[in-house]
Amino acid sequence: MTDNSPAASIADRAADRVVIFDTTLRDGEQSPGASMTFEEKLEVADILDELGVDIIEAGFPVASQGDFDSVREIAERVKNATIAGLARAGAKDIDRCAEALRHARNPRIHTFISTSPVHMRYKLQMEPEKVLEMIASSVSRARNLVADVEWSAEDGTRTEHDFLCRCVETAIAAGATTINIPDTVGYSTPQEYEALFRMVRERVPNADKAIFSVHCHDDLGLAVANSLAGVRGGARQIECTINGMGERAGNAALEEVVMAMRTRPDALPFHTNIDAKMLTRASKLVSAVTSFPVQYNKAIVGRNAFAHESGIHQDGMLKNAHTYEIMTPESVGVSKTSLVMGKHSGRHAFKEKLKELGYELGENALEDAFRRFKDLADRKKLVYDEDIVALVDDEIVTANDHIKVAALTVIAGTAGPQTAALTLDIDGEKKTHQATGNGPVDAIFNAIKALAPHEAALELFQVHAVTEGTDAQAEVSVRLSEDGKSVTGRGADPDTLVASARAYVAALNRLMVKRNKTKPEAMKAG
């Protein structure tokens, strides 16, 4: 007999809810070149909380003082989400994590240790029994400090099944409330991953005492598919990042797993608390602060996700949008480009446009943005929404930089060498230098090196237009590397050369931040 009571309906609905654990600020920031400043991390944390993310992994507190400070500040300011900090299976890591989370409304310690044969032998240099001891001691220590403890089996998909079950049972017995079995190296397939969760949940006697979690990397392009397969296997937490940010090929993209469940409830009868209309705004903010452009054909949030150029497709769309769109642009926060903003638009209209685009700026930030908008409107006939987004994001990213571009004059042409006269504002002091180079961009970068000496190598220089037209803003990405550290900066301006200077300086500012960061030592036996 079927129970159709309201209580049964609520219980079923709760059983089908998938918790979203966002690790953009931790795993996402580990993308080479993607370091965020303290202020940028706070911006991202705020939008993740507004988006409806259940758990925000704010960082790795023991990694550096900067990481500790950002986790502590996020823990104090976030109103709704649980705040998690990452910790290895050692007392120092766990205590430092608990200290950073002290003022969080809902703190979670996320502790981990490797469980696969290759990791235990070569990374940890530990025997399996020692790993089990470490699991028990680390989880129990964390549980004595906070009520919510997550334990992860690093390289779980390459762990022997019998040992994995012993590890999971030990972690739950020690007090773990969430068990994460990550596909750390992106090796698994959907069928294998689903079967893995079914196996563990059936074989571990106390499995019903914890929520199971997926954490998938995209080395084979299967992170989203694997994450959804794990949910079908009984997991009810997905660990993911905005835009799929993460080490190597990245993590499962939050926007993709969320919209897959929303769009295909027939095949994926699960739901989340994410406000999907904020996905595009969150994507643009993370792209701006990390200086990682979103590929044009990226699912859900890419520039071409709702673009149709084929004549056949356009004809179908004109007759019925459902012919070629399985979701509406509005459902993920994409609005049709508006051309109503221009040099005669006032402050109030500009403020309303910012609200429409998802920005809430303070008075000082609003004044700065409005001034730059008016400057842009004097130089362009039509100001698109994308222009305003690029303008405001550029202001947010550079607001706390030590070095800023103050003025630039370039002399270029067929008769070289080309010359750049550049003025930088360095901690409030303006300095000017004139340099030559093999082309105007080379001349600009040489001038920057003269004013702010460094040995970083240029790895990437990339230009694209924000909108169509010859007066479109240029958006430039620059990647610099130094002593194994890689950072990316981005700049936007209607003048491609000015945008290039801003991008290089933005990367230089990030490199200065990265120089001050230290990485935790690798976990060793004993």
Side-chain angles (χ1 to χ4, degrees):
M1 180 177 178
T2 303
D3 184 355
N4 293 318
S5 67
S9 176
I10 292 171
D12 289 343
R13 183 78 173 157
D16 291 338
R17 184 164 105 75
V18 173
V19 172
I20 296 298
F21 177 114
D22 184 276
T23 184
T24 302
L25 293 170
R26 201 277 301 170
D27 209 340
E29 204 207 7
Q30 290 176 205
S31 300
S35 281
M36 302 178 216
T37 66
F38 178 79
E39 291 78 12
E40 289 165 353
K41 287 184 177 183
L42 300 185
E43 291 269 356
V44 172
D46 286 344
I47 202 165
L48 291 176
D49 197 34
E50 191 178 351
L51 182 64
V53 165
D54 298 285
I55 300 105
I56 299 172
E57 188 166 48
F60 198 172
V62 80
S64 68
Q65 185 61 42
D67 252 30
F68 177 87
D69 290 341
S70 60
V71 172
R72 181 175 58 186
E73 181 65 24
I74 290 167
E76 288 182 358
R77 70 188 276 153
V78 165
K79 298 178 176 63
N80 303 307
T82 292
I83 303 302
L86 188 67
R88 294 165 300 179
K92 180 181 177 182
D93 278 44
I94 291 168
D95 293 349
R96 187 70 166 157
C97 192
E99 186 182 351
L101 296 170
R102 184 186 306 169
H103 300 295
R105 291 171 178 81
N106 303 296
R108 172 182 292 191
I109 293 178
H110 178 194
T111 185
F112 70 97
I113 195 168
S114 296
T115 55
S116 68
V118 65
H119 273 224
M120 287 190 293
R121 181 178 179 184
Y122 294 107
K123 178 184 174 183
L124 300 183
Q125 299 172 13
M126 287 184 187
E127 293 299 319
E129 292 304 319
K130 178 62 176 177
V131 170
L132 287 169
E133 288 179 25
M134 294 287 286
I135 294 169
S137 63
S138 60
V139 172
S140 62
R141 188 180 189 92
R143 187 58 191 267
N144 285 332
L145 296 168
V146 297
D148 188 358
V149 176
E150 176 171 341
W151 176 77
S152 286
E154 187 177 11
D155 206 21
T157 53
R158 294 194 297 175
T159 298
E160 295 171 345
H161 285 187
D162 288 348
F163 185 63
L164 179 61
C165 289
R166 290 179 66 195
C167 291
V168 170
E169 184 176 359
T170 299
I172 296 174
T177 50
T178 299
I179 298 294
N180 179 40
I181 306 176
D183 186 23
T184 303
V185 293
Y187 181 73
S188 194
T189 66
Q191 295 82 358
E192 291 172 344
Y193 205 49
E194 179 178 351
L196 180 66
F197 279 89
R198 293 190 187 279
M199 180 276 298
V200 172
R201 293 176 65 245
E202 288 170 2
R203 288 181 52 181
V204 173
N206 55 359
D208 61 326
K209 306 297 183 186
I211 293 172
F212 280 78
S213 175
V214 299
H215 180 119
C216 300
H217 282 263
D218 209 33
D219 298 72
L220 294 176
L222 296 173
V224 170
N226 283 338
S227 297
L228 296 171
V231 171
R232 285 195 296 268
R236 286 298 179 269
Q237 175 177 289
I238 295 178
E239 304 191 5
C240 46
T241 61
I242 300 293
N243 297 337
M245 297 284 296
E247 292 191 87
R248 305 184 312 280
N251 290 54
L254 181 150
E255 59 277 4
E256 293 179 27
V257 296
V258 167
M259 291 310 295
M261 288 183 277
R262 280 177 61 102
T263 307
R264 291 299 309 275
D266 55 326
L268 300 164
F270 313 105
H271 67 280
T272 72
N273 282 347
I274 297 295
D275 179 358
K277 291 182 179 179
M278 289 190 62
L279 289 173
T280 297
R281 176 69 202 107
S283 168
K284 287 179 177 177
L285 176 64
V286 170
S287 176
V289 301
T290 59
S291 295
F292 267 45
V294 176
Q295 67 189 65
Y296 282 9
N297 61 337
K298 165 78 170 62
I300 314 301
V301 293
R303 182 171 172 177
N304 290 349
F306 298 97
H308 306 272
E309 187 168 331
S310 159
I312 295 173
H313 284 212
Q314 290 175 344
D315 179 65
M317 285 292 296
L318 290 170
K319 292 172 179 173
N320 188 313
H322 291 293
T323 53
Y324 288 103
E325 284 187 352
I326 60 173
M327 66 193 89
T328 66
E330 293 80 9
S331 69
V332 296
V334 175
S335 59
K336 290 182 173 59
T337 299
S338 170
L339 307 179
V340 297
M341 300 301 291
K343 65 180 180 180
H344 299 297
S345 299
R347 186 178 284 94
H348 179 73
F350 179 69
K351 186 175 182 179
E352 290 303 309
K353 170 59 70 175
L354 290 181
K355 284 184 179 179
E356 180 186 318
L357 294 173
Y359 293 96
E360 291 281 353
L361 302 183
E363 283 304 313
N364 290 338
L366 178 63
E367 283 300 316
D368 288 340
F370 183 66
R371 174 182 50 77
R372 293 189 64 194
F373 160 71
K374 295 294 276 188
D375 290 342
L376 179 64
D378 282 336
R379 301 164 71 182
K380 289 194 66 177
K381 291 181 180 179
L382 301 172
V383 180
Y384 295 80
D385 287 358
E386 291 90 340
D387 287 316
I388 296 174
V389 168
L391 178 150
V392 177
D393 282 345
D394 191 53
E395 185 71 24
I396 289 171
V397 170
T398 61
N400 297 286
D401 284 353
H402 292 285
I403 306 173
K404 295 182 180 181
V405 175
L408 174 66
T409 301
V410 176
I411 299 174
T414 54
Q418 286 69 33
T419 303
L422 176 70
T423 301
L424 295 182
D425 184 323
I426 303 176
D427 289 324
E429 181 183 353
K430 286 186 169 59
K431 297 182 179 180
T432 301
H433 184 81
Q434 182 169 303
T436 59
N438 185 22
V441 173
D442 188 45
I444 293 168
F445 291 177
N446 287 340
I448 294 172
K449 285 183 181 180
L451 291 169
H454 61 278
E455 298 300 323
L458 178 65
E459 288 187 337
L460 172 75
F461 174 75
Q462 191 173 67
V463 183
H464 79 268
V466 173
T467 58
E468 67 268 19
T470 55
D471 63 350
Q473 281 197 98
E475 199 164 60
V476 177
S477 296
V478 166
R479 184 181 302 142
L480 300 177
S481 65
E482 178 187 74
D483 298 331
K485 301 180 180 71
S486 182
V487 295
T488 306
R490 194 161 68 171
D493 195 88
D495 187 319
T496 304
L497 297 177
V498 174
S500 300
R502 285 181 173 162
Y504 196 102
V505 167
L508 202 53
N509 278 292
R510 290 175 181 277
L511 193 61
M512 293 166 63
V513 171
K514 197 120 182 177
R515 284 172 182 165
N516 296 326
K517 289 191 174 185
T518 57
K519 293 184 178 180
E521 297 176 3
M523 175 70 91
K524 297 291 183 182

